[in-house]
């Protein structure tokens, strides 16, 4: 997600999403994907049957777009704190 969110930054996730319709294009969301929590930007949103699908992509890489069901969205990014995650990175390396 660089340059907006860098390695070593910590983000606080607002989990009080009342409705998936409230999430707008361009917002950064946290979501479950392959048993991990990821943070990426919403680039497209569609509705299929009774479900909203979010198409998300990292800002920093030429990765493919990931499709995320509304039930896998954990929240939107509320606050970013620079560098606070470096001790965790150091311990895990």
């Amino acid at each position: 997600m660089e340059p907006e969110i860098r390695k070593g930054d910590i983000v606080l996730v607002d989990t009080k999403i009342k409705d998936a319709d409230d999430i707008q294009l361009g917002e950064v969301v946290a979501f479950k994907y392959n048993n991990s929590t990821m943070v990426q930007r919403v680039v497209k949103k569609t509705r299929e049957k009774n479900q909203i699908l979010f198409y998300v992509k990292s800002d920093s890489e030429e990765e493919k777009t990931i499709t995320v069901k509304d039930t896998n969205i954990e929240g939107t990014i509320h606050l970013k704190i620079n560098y606070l995650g470096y001790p965790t990175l150091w311990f895990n390396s």
Side-chain angles (χ1 to χ4, degrees):
M1 287 298 303
E2 290 187 26
E4 186 173 333
I5 300 170
R6 293 183 168 88
K7 188 174 186 176
D9 292 349
I10 287 184
V11 294
L12 300 179
V13 179
D14 182 359
T15 59
K16 296 179 183 176
I17 299 173
K18 295 180 177 88
D19 193 326
D21 281 321
D22 293 339
I23 298 173
Q24 303 298 315
L25 295 180
E27 279 193 86
V28 179
V29 295
F31 58 93
K32 286 288 187 192
Y33 186 77
N34 290 339
N35 297 320
S36 295
T37 298
M38 296 181 70
V39 175
Q40 294 191 353
R41 187 174 307 280
V42 176
V43 294
K44 183 180 175 183
K45 184 166 95 170
T46 62
R47 184 178 297 277
E48 289 186 17
K49 300 177 185 171
N50 292 331
Q51 191 168 53
I52 296 175
L53 297 177
F54 293 93
Y55 299 84
V56 297
K57 188 172 184 179
S58 175
D59 289 348
S60 62
E61 299 177 18
E62 292 296 322
E63 294 179 20
K64 64 179 182 174
T65 302
I66 297 173
T67 306
V68 181
K69 295 178 182 179
D70 57 1
T71 55
N72 290 340
I73 299 289
E74 295 185 336
T76 56
I77 301 307
H78 179 67
L79 176 68
K80 175 187 75 153
I81 304 170
N82 295 330
Y83 312 115
L84 194 58
Y86 275 113
T88 302
L89 290 174
W90 182 74
F91 281 122
N92 290 328
S93 64

